[in-house]
């Protein structure tokens, strides 16, 4: 595994190795192989969980961390990402985690950068968020042991969700039964893009579900042309205790990549009760999964000039 | 000068056969088999080669004035000659736009009569879509047609009046058919690839919807109209139906629409970014079908150069357009002729005679005694690898870089002057 750009470009074995390593880190059975390597966190879009999680993961691995944000860097002076990254490499950075609003930005920059810096996608536009999918998978395995033939329903702003896409890519590799639920205006515009089941009706979508993964529904979206108000969404799609109790599997796992809009896509009451705790466990597992990712990419050679 | 032993393909007269051609003072003076060379006459043996009428590109962008980092009229012309073109029709979306006589004359002066140079002028001032240009004075100074290409005309009242008025001067409007509310912010074709990649899509109805609307106008006023860069299956169905109904419309496509699809775009590489976008395999097949049955009359390059730095930007920010002159013939021969989809004479007709006829360009697209010697010499079977680094165009980036093509321009003859290609 050279980089982590999206789930499609890594193998099932890569995923299993990362999960195994993350478990070893969590259990305190694994030492860092990347002490004193340097990690740059280049977050050109707001983030709490992902940035902090990578930062703590790097610290636990004994890495040097550079925090870098576009507003206070030469990127704001119009320097191209390629130039910035090549300079970071020569300054001594071994790997860079990029969060960016443009889908495919790492594919673009990887084509142009001429030096062996490692790339980790921290979420690009509406394309991919592979570390999130890996930590979601890790959490599901902790709870259920396997995802094979489990009904996993992803609900919310599917069309703009890189989390949904990376989860679909990952869960498909392990033969989960994947369902997507959204109103028409938040659904993927092309149903051939992914081999999953599409629903507009929430009851049908979560019927017997083992996992309900709720996606953030951005309020801004509802102010765009052709979209109704967010109250319309809430009325039909908000996940609450009653809905889960009535339709989902009795051991249903509630997940959310965060940040949640309380009482829009998921009820406040549900978030604060026992079922809602899995969401915090996701955040915790994220650190170990990201340690595993960084350790895997950076162990061995790759010394910066 | 005597061109001997070639196979001549002259789509204008549906002629295909061995013939020699004599050129004196830039004019074709004899055109028949077995001509004897006169003493002191330069004789070129073209055994095994094909002579056809010089290629005519009815749709290209030369970027001058205003965007000379992308291309200049001079480099654009060199690139066109390298591609076998003896006549080109640059679009008006420069800065300033070619919406006035001064800019029109400026561009003609820059061209220095090196090639048949037939500018297409803007339909509306500044391409803003609201005020019609001074049509007659532009025609008197050489406008060959009118187009706001790069932007659609959204005001249907204005479009209707413009078609009537421009037609009354025996000229045609070339339509950039696009519904901008549907195209807005789009990067690639809307479909499974755009969804997977997380890129805003441009649905194919962006094109076909505009065509449907414009066809209704053309029908209502019995107008004459031309559709540029057709990419979508449904558009072709609409134009086919309109032609069947007897509407006086013509249409062109570009080589990338029968050579590439959205499936080529999986790595976010902006060198494939073009407007209209590369579409699906089904659309590509419909384009080929449209070329076969004559729904699509012409193949134009839509040569739309940009700097390499611009085309290396993230795909969302990179400009749309492909460097087209130097690969158009090779792609046509490789993907349409050698695959048996089109006969050689039909394919060449879409590159020379048809575009010249649509725009009413004299002395181009035809081989006949008394006409200017504008000819393209082709080796139909020569295989070559596209190397964008060697382009004469300033735009040395291409989705076809590294493609192996079969069929190559060997010489371009403009007004009797020979340009050897690939030297």
């Amino acid at each position: 595994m050279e980089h982590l750009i999206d789930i499609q470009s890594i193998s099932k074995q890569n995923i299993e190795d990362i999960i195994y390593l993350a478990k070893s880190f969590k259990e305190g059975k694994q030492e860092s192989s990347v002490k004193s390597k340097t990690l740059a966190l280049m977050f050109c879009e707001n983030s709490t969980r992902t940035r902090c999680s990578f930062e703590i993961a790097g610290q636990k691995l004994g890495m040097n961390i550079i925090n870098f944000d576009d507003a206070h860097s030469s990127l704001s002076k119009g320097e191209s990402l390629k130039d910035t990254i090549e300079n970071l490499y020569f300054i001594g950075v071994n790997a860079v985690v990029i969060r960016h609003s443009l889908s495919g930005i790492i594919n673009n920059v990887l084509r142009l950068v001429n030096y062996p810096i490692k790339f980790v996608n921290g979420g690009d536009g509406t394309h991919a968020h592979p570390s999130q999918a890996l930590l979601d998978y890790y959490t599901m395995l902790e709870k259920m042991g396997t995802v094979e033939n489990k009904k996993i329903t992803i609900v919310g702003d599917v069309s703009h969700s890189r989390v949904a896409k990376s989860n679909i890519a990952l869960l498909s590799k392990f033969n989960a039964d994947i369902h997507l639920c959204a109103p028409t205006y938040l659904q993927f515009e092309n149903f051939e893009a992914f081999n999953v089941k599409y629903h507009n009706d929430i009851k049908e979508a979560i019927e017997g579900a083992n996992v309900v993964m709720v996606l953030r529904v951005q309020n801004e979206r509802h102010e765009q042309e052709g979209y109704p108000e967010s109250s319309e969404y809430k009325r039909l799609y908000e996940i609450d205790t009653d809905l889960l109790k009535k339709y989902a599997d009795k051991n249903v796992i509630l997940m959310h990549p965060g940040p949640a809009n309380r009482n829009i896509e998921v009820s406040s009451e549900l978030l604060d009760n026992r079922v809602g705790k899995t969401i915090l466990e996701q955040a915790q597992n994220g650190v170990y999964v990201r340690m595993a990712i960084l350790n895997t990419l950076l162990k061995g050679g790759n010394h910066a000039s | 000068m005597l061109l001997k032993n070639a196979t001549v393909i002259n789509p204008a007269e549906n002629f295909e056969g061995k013939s020699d051609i004599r050129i004196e003072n830039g004019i074709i003076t004899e055109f028949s088999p077995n001509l004897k060379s006169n003493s002191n006459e330069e004789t070129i043996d073209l055994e095994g080669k094909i002579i056809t009428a010089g290629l005519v590109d009815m749709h290209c962008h030369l970027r001058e004035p205003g965007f000379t980092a992308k291309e200049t009229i001079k480099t654009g012309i060199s690139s066109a000659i390298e591609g076998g073109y003896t006549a080109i029709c640059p679009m008006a979306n420069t800065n300033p736009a070619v919406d006035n006589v001064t800019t029109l004359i400026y561009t003609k002066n820059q061209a220095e009569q090196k090639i048949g140079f037939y500018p297409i002028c803007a339909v509306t001032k500044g391409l803003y879509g609201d005020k019609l240009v001074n049509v007659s004075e532009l025609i008197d100074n050489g406008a060959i047609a009118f187009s706001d290409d790069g932007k659609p005309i959204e005001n249907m009242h204005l479009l209707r009046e413009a078609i009537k008025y421009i037609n009354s001067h025996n000229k045609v409007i070339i339509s950039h058919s696009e519904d901008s509310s549907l195209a807005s912010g789009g990067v690639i074709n809307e479909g499974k690839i755009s969804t997977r990649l997380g890129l805003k899509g441009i649905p194919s109805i962006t094109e076909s919807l505009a065509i449907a609307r414009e066809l209704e106008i053309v029908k209502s006023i019995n107008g004459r109209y031309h559709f540029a860069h057709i990419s979508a299956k449904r558009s072709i169905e609409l134009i086919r139906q309109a032609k069947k109904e007897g509407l006086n419309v013509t249409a062109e496509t570009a080589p990338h629409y029968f050579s590439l699809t959205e499936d080529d775009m999986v790595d976010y590489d902006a060198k494939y970014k073009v407007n209209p976008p590369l579409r699906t395999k089904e659309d590509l097949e419909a384009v080929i079908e449209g070329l076969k049955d004559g729904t699509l009359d012409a193949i134009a390059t839509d040569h739309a150069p940009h700097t390499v730095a611009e085309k290396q930007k993230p795909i969302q920010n990179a400009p749309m357009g492909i460097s087209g002159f130097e690969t158009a013939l090779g792609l046509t021969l490789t993907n349409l002729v050698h695959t048996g989809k089109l006969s050689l004479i039909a394919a060449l007709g879409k590159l020379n005679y048809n575009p010249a006829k649509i725009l009413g360009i004299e002395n181009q697209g035809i081989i006949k005694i008394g006409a200017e010697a504008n000819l393209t010499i082709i080796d139909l079977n020569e295989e070559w690898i596209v190397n964008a680094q060697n382009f004469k165009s300033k735009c040395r980036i291409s989705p076809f870089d590294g493609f192996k093509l079969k069929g190559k321009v060997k010489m371009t003859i403009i007004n009797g002057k020979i340009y050897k290609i690939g030297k």
Side-chain angles (χ1 to χ4, degrees):
Chain A
M1 197 170 107
E2 275 290 299
H3 306 282
L4 180 62
I5 297 175
D6 56 29
I7 297 292
Q8 290 84 333
S9 53
I10 61 173
S11 68
K12 212 170 150 176
Q13 188 62 50
N14 291 149
I15 294 168
E16 283 165 352
D17 291 346
I18 288 170
I19 297 297
Y20 181 82
L21 193 58
K23 191 161 180 280
S24 303
F25 277 124
K26 191 172 182 180
E27 291 167 354
K29 292 181 189 159
Q30 173 73 38
E31 288 281 309
S32 168
S33 325
V34 297
K35 277 178 191 153
S36 78
K37 296 236 169 151
T38 302
L39 176 68
L41 302 177
M42 188 181 276
F43 278 66
C44 305
E45 205 185 48
N46 293 341
S47 165
T48 306
R49 261 154 286 258
T50 306
R51 190 174 59 75
C52 294
S53 180
F54 269 111
E55 184 158 0
I56 290 169
Q59 282 168 0
K60 286 188 177 224
L61 290 169
M63 300 180 79
N64 306 310
I65 318 268
I66 298 175
N67 255 296
F68 184 101
D69 78 276
D70 57 334
H72 299 100
S73 73
S74 295
L75 285 176
S76 67
K77 298 178 187 167
E79 185 178 42
S80 77
L81 202 52
K82 165 198 150 78
D83 290 340
T84 305
I85 285 169
E86 289 191 343
N87 276 283
L88 287 178
Y89 177 76
F90 275 85
I91 287 166
V93 171
N94 304 95
V96 57
V97 182
I98 300 180
R99 155 73 60 98
H100 203 283
S101 60
L102 294 179
S103 303
I105 188 76
I106 301 172
N107 304 65
N108 171 268
V109 90
L110 190 59
R111 200 165 30 244
L112 301 174
V113 167
N114 294 311
Y115 302 96
I117 194 165
K118 301 289 186 180
F119 288 96
V120 179
N121 187 350
D124 63 327
T126 57
H127 170 222
H129 196 347
S131 67
Q132 179 73 40
L134 286 163
L135 76 88
D136 289 341
Y137 181 52
Y138 184 97
T139 306
M140 289 182 214
L141 289 184
E142 254 189 1
K143 301 263 171 194
M144 306 189 294
T146 177
V147 297
E148 194 168 342
N149 298 322
K150 300 286 184 193
K151 180 168 179 177
I152 297 168
T153 302
I154 303 176
V155 187
D157 187 356
V158 171
S159 63
H160 298 94
S161 180
R162 55 194 172 211
V163 175
K165 283 179 198 167
S166 286
N167 266 292
I168 292 167
L170 193 153
L171 296 170
S172 301
K173 286 186 199 266
F174 294 94
N175 303 317
D177 176 25
I178 307 167
H179 296 250
L180 301 183
C181 182
T184 55
Y185 57 91
L186 294 178
Q187 193 56 273
F188 289 133
E189 68 270 13
N190 188 292
F191 292 166
E192 291 163 39
F194 303 102
N195 186 20
V196 296
K197 298 175 189 86
Y198 295 90
H199 305 270
N200 295 134
D201 183 70
I202 187 70
K203 292 164 192 152
E204 175 191 302
I206 64 170
E207 177 94 59
N210 302 98
V211 175
V212 173
M213 183 183 291
V214 186
L215 301 173
R216 178 178 164 77
V217 176
Q218 291 174 342
N219 279 319
E220 311 89 80
R221 301 253 182 258
H222 288 94
E223 278 145 36
Q224 290 174 14
E225 266 175 67
Y227 289 22
E229 289 176 1
S230 60
S231 57
E232 176 80 4
Y233 178 88
K234 174 182 166 72
R235 190 171 166 267
L236 297 176
Y237 295 97
E238 183 185 27
I239 302 293
D240 60 21
T241 309
D242 287 348
L243 202 62
L244 287 188
K245 202 172 268 175
K246 201 159 165 197
Y247 298 99
D249 184 86
K250 65 176 180 349
N251 297 317
V252 67
I253 299 163
L254 178 74
M255 299 178 83
H256 195 306
N261 277 312
R262 284 175 178 259
N263 298 325
I264 300 228
E265 72 255 7
V266 57
S267 77
S268 207
E269 187 260 332
L270 188 58
L271 281 178
D272 291 332
N273 77 19
R274 187 185 50 79
V275 179
K277 191 168 171 251
T278 309
I279 294 167
L280 299 172
E281 290 168 22
Q282 284 176 269
Q284 184 184 41
N285 290 334
V287 175
Y288 300 110
V289 167
R290 286 169 177 129
M291 286 172 77
I293 292 166
L294 295 171
N295 202 80
T296 303
L297 288 177
L298 286 171
K299 67 177 182 217
N302 182 242
H303 294 288
S305 316
Chain B
M1 178 167 61
L2 185 62
L3 307 178
K4 275 200 72 72
N5 303 325
T7 299
V8 173
I9 298 192
N10 188 18
E13 321 245 89
N14 201 22
F15 174 86
E16 223 171 326
K18 280 267 184 187
S19 183
D20 299 338
I21 293 175
R22 172 163 284 126
I23 301 168
E24 289 168 293
N25 300 320
I27 303 292
I28 296 169
T29 53
E30 281 188 273
F31 174 25
S32 69
N34 303 317
L35 295 176
K36 296 272 173 296
S37 64
N38 301 329
S39 53
N40 297 333
E41 187 181 37
E42 184 189 358
T43 303
I44 301 172
D45 182 7
L46 295 173
E47 183 66 46
K49 305 287 188 293
I50 284 161
I51 302 179
T52 191
L55 308 186
V56 176
D57 189 18
M58 65 181 302
H59 188 147
C60 60
H61 300 268
L62 301 186
R63 307 298 189 204
E64 186 178 358
F67 309 105
T68 51
K70 298 171 192 275
E71 193 81 287
T72 64
I73 289 172
K74 193 161 175 259
T75 58
I77 288 172
S78 298
S79 176
I81 292 171
E82 193 74 11
Y85 287 90
T86 63
I88 54 175
C89 307
M91 284 291 176
N93 60 339
T94 49
N95 184 20
V98 188
D99 61 357
N100 65 85
V101 171
T102 312
T103 309
L104 174 59
I105 290 174
Y106 172 81
T107 64
K108 285 170 63 181
N109 288 343
Q110 292 302 106
E112 294 175 337
Q113 295 180 314
K114 284 200 178 112
I115 196 167
F117 192 78
Y118 302 95
I120 294 163
C121 289
V123 177
T124 66
K125 286 188 180 160
L127 310 166
Y128 292 123
D130 49 14
K131 291 194 98 123
L132 194 59
V133 295
N134 292 341
V135 170
S136 70
E137 65 172 2
L138 288 166
I139 292 173
D140 288 348
N141 285 283
I144 197 72
F146 293 84
S147 180
D148 277 3
D149 185 66
K151 282 182 175 180
I153 295 174
E154 305 259 298
N155 180 328
M156 292 295 112
H157 164 71
L158 180 139
L159 182 63
R160 189 169 70 151
E161 293 308 316
I163 296 171
K164 284 196 290 188
Y165 188 61
I166 287 168
N167 284 175
S168 78
H169 290 275
N170 296 315
K171 296 290 177 200
V172 69
I173 290 184
I174 298 171
S175 166
H176 173 99
S177 310
E178 174 178 304
D179 181 286
S180 34
S181 68
L182 287 164
S184 171
V187 180
I188 68 170
N189 183 51
E190 181 184 291
K192 60 182 193 294
I193 304 295
S194 67
T195 298
R196 281 181 200 149
L197 297 187
L199 295 174
K200 179 127 180 0
I202 304 172
S204 63
I205 53 163
T206 301
E207 177 179 290
S208 58
L209 183 68
I211 288 174
R213 195 164 58 187
E214 290 166 19
L215 282 170
E216 284 298 289
I217 290 184
V218 172
K219 187 178 164 97
S220 73
I221 57 178
N222 197 20
R224 158 93 191 86
Y225 202 59
H226 178 82
F227 294 103
H229 46 53
I230 296 299
S231 67
K233 182 181 180 189
R234 179 63 185 152
S235 305
I236 294 160
E237 289 169 1
L238 289 167
I239 296 166
R240 181 179 291 126
Q241 180 61 30
K243 284 186 165 188
K244 232 178 242 170
E245 287 178 26
L247 270 68
N248 195 358
V249 293
T250 49
E252 85 204 21
T253 189
H256 34 274
Y257 301 119
F258 58 74
S259 304
L260 299 170
T261 66
E262 60 173 6
D263 298 325
D264 293 301
M265 302 199 69
V266 291
D267 202 31
Y268 298 90
D269 194 337
K271 71 186 180 190
Y272 296 93
K273 188 182 182 188
V274 63
N275 191 28
L278 303 176
R279 302 210 187 264
T280 65
K281 190 160 182 287
E282 209 184 341
D283 293 298
L284 178 144
E285 279 162 7
V287 165
I288 292 172
E289 201 48 48
L291 285 164
K292 278 165 81 169
D293 73 6
T295 303
L296 300 174
D297 304 87
I299 297 167
T301 65
D302 197 1
H303 177 77
H306 295 287
T307 65
V308 172
E310 288 171 312
K311 293 299 276 182
Q312 286 181 339
K313 284 183 176 182
I315 192 164
Q316 296 87 342
N317 303 339
M320 293 164 152
I322 290 174
S323 189
F325 285 138
E326 294 168 63
T327 48
L329 179 70
L331 289 166
T332 302
L333 297 175
T334 305
N335 293 333
L336 299 178
V337 176
H338 288 299
T339 53
K341 307 250 163 71
L342 277 189
S343 68
L344 180 60
I345 191 166
L348 291 175
K350 292 181 193 288
L351 289 163
N352 54 28
Y353 177 59
N354 292 2
K357 193 173 76 169
I358 289 165
L359 298 181
I361 303 174
E362 287 170 13
N363 276 318
Q364 295 281 356
I366 188 161
I367 302 174
K368 67 173 179 192
I369 293 167
E372 285 174 11
N374 294 311
L375 303 167
T376 302
I377 316 294
I378 299 164
D379 186 326
L380 184 60
N381 294 312
E382 183 174 334
E383 294 187 345
W384 59 293
I385 310 266
V386 177
N387 182 351
Q389 290 305 314
N390 294 338
F391 280 0
K392 303 284 182 196
S393 168
K394 279 193 174 187
C395 183
R396 296 196 178 98
I397 188 165
S398 163
F400 305 112
D401 205 10
F403 271 42
K404 187 173 171 190
L405 299 181
K406 188 174 180 185
K408 195 171 189 317
V409 183
K410 302 304 288 179
M411 290 177 201
T412 307
I413 301 178
I414 301 176
N415 254 332
K417 183 172 178 192
I418 295 180
Y419 295 86
K420 291 189 175 165
I421 303 308
K423 301 290 167 197

